[in-house]
Amino acid sequence: MRRQNDVAPPARRLVGFAVMLGAVCVPLFFSKSFDLARFELAIVVILAAVGFNFAFGISGQLAIGQPVLLAVGGYTAGILSATRGWGFEKTIVPAILATMAVSVLLGLPSLRIRGWYFAITSFFAINIQPDVLELLEKHTGGSRGLVGIESLKVGDTVLEPWVVYEIFLAALILCFLGATTLSRSGWGLSMRLLRDQPVASAATGLNPVWAKARVYLLTAIPCAVAGSVYAHSVRYLAPTVFNFNLVLVILGGTFLGGLGTMWGPIIGVSVFQAISLWIGPFSPYNQLFLGVAVLVTAVLFKGGIIEGAGRVADRVRSLRSDAPEVEVEVEDTVDVPSDAPQVVDVGPSMAQVGLRVAGIEKHFGGNKVLVGIDLDVPAGTMVGFVGPNGSGKTTLLNIISGFVESDSGTVRLGDVDITGTPTHKVAALGLARTFQVPRLVDDLTVGENVELGEIGLDRQRALAGLFRPPGFRRKDRERAERARHVCRFLGFSEEVISTEAGSLPLGLKRLTEIGRAIAAGAPMICLDEPAAGLDDAERAALGVVLQRLVAQGRTILVIEHNLRFVLESCDSVVLLADGRIVGEGDPAEQATWPSVLTDYFGTYLLDLDDAPTGAPAAR
């Protein structure tokens, strides 16, 4: 189940407008330069938190090097201004470019490691930052600090303190709106898939290297803007300005407000920055209190203030009305009606492709997992791959889909040799797959999860997602409608389509993952135990869907332990044991089967004319 509309959109817009209006009016109540400087510093930290939230909350990349990025942006602008007399309008672009370069450099370890292991590399960069600035004393001023930075001004007129504050605020609003727009675009949806299911993101055609690089490029922008504006505002930078305390404020504030939400970092960081200022920025107790606050926030504020506010808003609405809280009830099964709409045919360049595997071998150390595998999956058929646990079925599927590289042999998709091809390129060539455990984004709806199949193969342009021109918005609507068309083909009701995937029963999750593969327009679909954990009705619905796909010309390879499902649904059966293919047969011609295949199926052999009611008929 899911609550729909956690916070009503009109209320959200009203609260957002009130917050921005209050922020704009701050100089009316705090006119002293010292007070405004405190607000400006808070905005700098919030800007860094917006970048962190986009990297970690939206994209799943735990990059906590924001103090380093702030320093790069600030010192780049400051050095250019102090040595060449440049104003802010000239230093901002070099500052952004330099910060982007350093951000990508700091992000390189994420190609091999992730999570807190990746975060440790950022800690290292933060720790050595003062030393690097000291070594570059000729340019940075070292421990004495960098002086002589031009003020924020128009022409020869130095801007008033309240105008400088409004510039800080304008920078925050622009970066906030940009991050919000991007997070809601197709590119933002693909980043959520990268965050929650990085393996599945590659299987949908998303290039993980380029996707992460774009994340680091984009998240550098708020830090570069904040650092350069701050440098021109205070006209002085020291190695200790952007220190480890900022990491604690950013982490704690983002967790407190709500990781992955847009308003959460603004609210949470404001609270943490107020705590830091109350303790004293240079107090020896600052890090201690902030560190404890981060731990308490991570333990007690799961979901953050924004999620809690959504629950409260739902409760208030339910108390004000006679009706109970609005929730969607999801049925445990789905019926696939005979008049369900047909999916748009695959494109001519991908129509009717088969799969041919020749001589595939794979060893892990001294363990021979696959030995001389030869397999032919004709176009427009469904082949069932069976065998005991440990026989190498999933390893073979991983080799076919590009997750594992074989020691020898070839894999051909149609006329294309895909041996050793990276997973995202295999997906682009027309091979989609599902997984033993469905890999969905729980906080996206069923329709959005299905839509990800097409998004992964479509080149998502960040600038287009940022400015959303009419053509881009039309393309988004068309893609969403095609995803809904696929959902209706699967037999999903409108309530199920708009339900968050995390609340679905297992059967619907498996069908949703298959829908993602269909939305990709893949002519070849590999399924890893799609019937596992399903009841008879769910297996029957799954069989109907798969047979419809085959009737359209799709080619399907199924790895499955449910032997009854394989016999009822597949055109042919292949038995794998000890890394070798030991038997093949047609379910409709069991009399011709080799004895090893007959012995394996045993009591599951049945006359398909006597199949249980609701089971798909043999083709």
Side-chain angles (χ1 to χ4, degrees):
M1 300 183 218
R2 74 179 277 255
R3 278 186 301 271
Q4 292 184 326
N5 299 325
D6 285 341
V7 181
R12 246 190 346 250
R13 288 193 292 268
L14 183 61
V15 172
F17 177 77
V19 170
M20 285 191 291
L21 181 62
V24 170
C25 294
V26 161
L28 296 178
F29 305 98
F30 300 92
S31 57
K32 295 181 179 180
S33 298
F34 177 77
D35 293 331
L36 290 177
R38 288 192 164 193
F39 282 102
E40 290 165 4
L41 180 59
I43 290 175
V44 167
V45 183
I46 291 173
L47 276 166
V50 168
F52 169 75
N53 184 58
F54 191 85
F56 186 42
I58 304 297
S59 307
Q61 308 305 308
L62 188 50
I64 57 175
Q66 282 69 34
V68 176
L69 301 182
L70 287 169
V72 171
Y75 270 93
T76 300
I79 292 172
L80 291 174
S81 180
T83 58
R84 300 192 179 187
W86 287 6
F88 172 74
E89 71 282 358
K90 291 183 179 180
T91 63
I92 182 63
V93 173
I96 290 176
L97 295 177
T99 308
M100 283 181 168
V102 173
S103 181
V104 172
L105 181 64
L106 292 178
L108 288 178
S110 70
L111 300 180
R112 294 289 184 182
I113 56 177
R114 62 192 304 253
W116 288 106
Y117 295 102
F118 172 47
I120 290 174
T121 63
S122 299
F123 278 118
F124 173 74
I126 296 169
N127 286 333
I128 68 170
Q129 173 192 302
D131 297 324
V132 172
L133 293 175
E134 290 280 357
L135 291 174
L136 299 175
E137 181 178 2
K138 179 180 178 181
H139 305 286
T140 64
S143 58
R144 301 190 311 274
L146 179 63
V147 296
I149 304 173
E150 292 287 325
S151 302
L152 287 169
K153 56 186 178 181
V154 176
D156 295 328
T157 304
V158 177
L159 299 179
E160 294 291 332
W162 71 270
V163 178
V164 173
Y165 165 81
E166 299 295 352
I167 291 176
F168 273 86
L169 185 60
L172 173 59
I173 292 174
L174 288 175
C175 290
F176 172 79
L177 292 177
T180 301
T181 303
L182 275 176
S183 69
R184 293 174 180 173
S185 67
W187 192 75
L189 295 182
S190 66
M191 289 303 99
R192 285 177 168 84
L193 182 62
L194 178 67
R195 175 195 67 191
D196 293 351
Q197 305 292 349
V199 173
S201 68
T204 62
L206 186 68
N207 184 336
V209 175
W210 178 229
K212 291 178 181 179
R214 285 192 293 182
V215 169
Y216 301 135
L217 289 172
L218 290 171
T219 55
I221 295 176
C223 292
V225 172
S228 57
V229 175
Y230 183 79
H232 284 281
S233 173
V234 299
R235 303 186 63 194
Y236 171 80
L237 291 176
T240 57
V241 171
F242 305 113
N243 53 31
F244 184 74
N245 284 10
L246 287 180
V247 176
L248 298 176
V249 173
I250 292 169
L251 282 175
T254 305
F255 291 149
L256 176 63
L259 185 67
T261 65
M262 302 315 300
W263 280 100
I266 295 179
I267 297 172
V269 169
S270 298
V271 173
F272 264 73
Q273 184 65 12
I275 293 174
S276 179
L277 291 175
W278 175 68
I279 298 172
F282 304 105
S283 169
Y285 298 103
N286 196 293
Q287 283 191 13
L288 174 64
F289 277 86
L290 289 177
V292 171
V294 170
L295 293 176
V296 171
T297 299
V299 173
L300 299 182
F301 289 86
K302 187 176 181 179
I305 293 174
I306 295 297
E307 184 176 312
R311 290 194 296 266
V312 171
D314 285 341
R315 183 60 178 167
V316 170
R317 286 198 299 271
S318 65
L319 291 175
R320 287 181 177 179
S321 63
D322 296 331
E325 181 180 356
V326 179
E327 292 186 336
V328 174
E329 296 289 342
V330 178
E331 299 292 338
D332 288 343
T333 60
V334 59
D335 294 325
V336 183
S338 59
D339 59 347
Q342 297 298 307
V343 178
V344 178
D345 292 335
V346 295
S349 62
M350 288 186 174
Q352 294 285 314
V353 301
L355 179 73
R356 184 179 296 275
V357 175
I360 288 295
E361 296 200 3
K362 183 62 183 178
H363 301 171
F364 291 105
N367 184 24
K368 297 181 179 180
V369 180
L370 296 173
V371 182
I373 298 295
D374 295 317
L375 176 66
D376 188 12
V377 182
T381 64
M382 179 159 58
V383 174
F385 222 71
V386 299
N389 288 328
S391 59
K393 301 185 300 297
T394 298
T395 300
L396 177 61
L397 184 56
N398 286 336
I399 290 174
I400 292 172
S401 54
F403 284 102
V404 174
E405 188 173 349
S406 63
D407 295 328
S408 62
T410 60
V411 180
R412 299 188 68 86
L413 181 64
D415 296 329
V416 181
D417 187 347
I418 61 172
T419 309
T421 302
T423 303
H424 67 278
K425 292 185 178 180
V426 171
L429 290 170
L431 189 149
R433 68 163 292 180
T434 64
F435 300 86
Q436 289 182 6
V437 177
R439 296 179 180 270
L440 304 174
V441 183
D442 288 345
D443 59 359
L444 294 183
T445 66
V446 169
E448 289 169 334
N449 271 281
V450 171
E451 192 178 345
L452 283 168
E454 186 176 351
I455 289 174
L457 296 175
D458 187 21
R459 186 178 180 184
Q460 297 295 314
R461 301 181 184 276
L463 286 179
L466 183 61
F467 295 106
R468 297 184 62 80
F472 182 89
R473 293 195 297 269
R474 182 179 65 255
K475 187 177 180 180
D476 269 0
R477 290 192 298 268
E478 292 172 352
R479 186 179 60 236
E481 181 53 38
R482 285 193 296 270
R484 298 181 72 85
H485 189 73
V486 172
C487 289
R488 290 192 291 268
F489 167 81
L490 295 171
F492 291 167
S493 65
E494 290 299 321
E495 289 79 10
V496 171
I497 295 173
S498 60
T499 298
E500 287 183 355
S503 63
L504 296 178
L506 179 60
L508 293 185
K509 286 184 176 181
R510 292 199 183 280
L511 282 175
T512 300
E513 194 174 40
I514 293 172
R516 188 174 66 200
I518 297 172
M524 176 80 197
I525 301 177
C526 297
L527 308 177
D528 196 352
E529 299 189 27
L534 306 188
D535 59 26
D536 290 340
E538 290 172 334
R539 285 195 298 271
L542 175 61
V544 171
V545 168
L546 296 183
Q547 289 188 9
R548 285 186 171 181
L549 292 174
V550 172
Q552 291 179 350
R554 312 272 180 133
T555 307
I556 299 178
L557 174 62
V558 180
I559 289 179
E560 186 53 65
H561 281 291
N562 190 298
L563 303 184
R564 178 180 292 272
F565 176 80
V566 172
L567 290 171
E568 293 171 349
S569 304
C570 295
D571 294 297
S572 62
V573 178
V574 178
L575 175 60
L576 187 69
D578 297 324
R580 294 177 171 85
I581 293 179
V582 296
E584 298 181 52
D586 186 334
E589 299 177 3
Q590 297 171 13
T592 65
W593 281 12
S595 59
V596 64
L597 195 59
T598 303
D599 293 342
Y600 182 77
F601 275 83
T603 58
Y604 285 95
L605 289 177
L606 57 106
D607 184 351
L608 295 181
D609 292 334
D610 298 329
T613 303
R619 297 179 298 103

